[in-house]
Amino acid sequence: MSKVQVMDHPLIQHKISYIRREDVGSKEFREIVSEISALMCYEATRDLKLKDVKIQTPICEMTGKELSGKKMAVVPILRAGLGMVDGILSLIPAAKVGHIGLYRDPETFQPIEYFCKLPADCEEREVFVVDPMLATGGSCAAAVQLLKEKGVRHMRLMCIIAAPEGVERMQKEHPDVDLYIGALDERLNEHKYIVPGLGDAGDRIFGTK
Ligand code: PRP
Ligand code: URA
């Protein structure tokens, strides 16, 4: 069974509460999504492996530490996942970026794929799949499935707000993928929106409503 880590860091909780407010406009929403993503990335990378490395400081030689595990990639689920990329790259600038385009059919709620472009060596990388919203879990489960079909074996999923239904679906379909969640909300409504949630993340990031 995968690990589910709900972020309890006060800065993350504070910023998530802020962007839930309906009167927060796109500019501020985007900026804070980016800040939350960086903070979540910091928390979600605590277990990265390190190796000893000999370095020369201006004073003396010493044994320091550097990352030793797989190289990383970030794969946002379009559109809303794009809002999380810059925050993550601010901490992991060498990560490559892939894109998976999925939208949720408003009537069937099924994810529909329209784009996929991944780093050539993505199967050798540790991949962070990112999407602000895990609602039914259909989009994230489909993105992870697509990445598995492309050969990716090591993935983590990072979502700012999740519904219990989405967490359950991910754990059932992809028990090998750890979940990092900013806030675990109550439920889905009849339109499969997260309650209390923050509304439509893509529309709020890009100002399309
Ligand atoms: C939103 C969100 C997720 C998906 C979550 O995207 O960003 O990708 O819905 O819902 P699910 O867990 O029930 O699949 P949307 O389909 O609205 O597309 P957009 O990002 O282009 O707005
Ligand atoms: N997609 C969103 O953007 N918000 C939700 O609450 C559910 C799906």
Side-chain angles (χ1 to χ4, degrees):
M1 181 64 77
S2 63
K3 178 174 83 175
V4 180
Q5 184 179 335
V6 181
M7 305 286 168
D8 57 2
H9 195 291
L11 287 174
I12 297 176
Q13 292 307 310
H14 177 88
K15 287 171 191 286
I16 291 175
S17 294
Y18 191 83
I19 58 168
R20 287 181 190 273
R21 295 167 205 261
E22 63 179 347
D23 56 353
V24 170
S26 283
K27 175 177 181 290
E28 215 178 0
F29 190 90
R30 254 195 320 270
E31 288 167 357
I32 298 172
V33 162
S34 193
E35 290 170 13
I36 293 167
S37 306
L39 291 167
M40 287 183 64
C41 176
Y42 179 79
E43 290 282 9
T45 48
R46 280 182 179 278
D47 63 342
L48 292 184
K49 292 190 175 41
L50 292 170
K51 66 177 181 204
D52 287 346
V53 57
K54 284 233 180 323
I55 52 176
Q56 178 72 47
T57 78
I59 308 297
C60 66
E61 194 177 82
M62 68 165 283
T63 304
K65 300 277 184 196
E66 67 179 23
L67 293 171
S68 69
K70 292 183 183 307
K71 290 183 180 161
M72 283 177 263
V74 188
V75 177
I77 302 177
L78 308 183
R79 290 175 301 165
L82 284 174
M84 299 178 71
V85 174
D86 284 353
I88 294 171
L89 291 180
S90 69
L91 297 189
I92 315 176
K96 292 202 172 165
V97 182
H99 295 88
I100 293 180
L102 289 174
Y103 71 89
R104 199 175 71 159
D105 183 286
E107 271 154 31
T108 64
F109 309 116
Q110 295 305 307
I112 298 178
E113 185 193 329
Y114 60 90
F115 189 76
C116 180
K117 181 78 181 170
L118 301 171
D121 58 352
C122 70
E123 69 281 358
E124 290 154 26
R125 291 181 177 256
E126 169 88 37
V127 173
F128 284 74
V129 182
V130 298
D131 191 323
M133 309 305 276
L134 179 65
T136 65
S139 303
C140 288
V144 167
Q145 184 59 36
L146 185 59
L147 286 164
K148 285 183 175 174
E149 285 162 14
K150 303 277 184 192
V152 177
R153 290 286 159 263
H154 301 277
M155 270 178 272
R156 302 166 190 223
L157 174 66
M158 211 186 293
C159 299
I160 295 178
I161 299 187
E165 291 88 335
V167 171
E168 198 179 310
R169 179 160 180 179
M170 277 301 301
Q171 287 199 302
K172 191 163 164 227
E173 294 186 21
H174 300 292
D176 52 327
V177 176
D178 288 340
L179 309 182
Y180 297 89
I181 291 164
L184 184 58
D185 274 11
E186 284 166 26
R187 62 186 170 86
L188 298 176
N189 68 13
E190 65 277 24
H191 304 293
K192 308 288 185 206
Y193 272 81
I194 300 175
V195 179
L198 49 68
D200 188 304
D203 282 340
R204 296 201 62 186
I205 289 170
F206 297 109
T208 41
K209 205 165 182 190

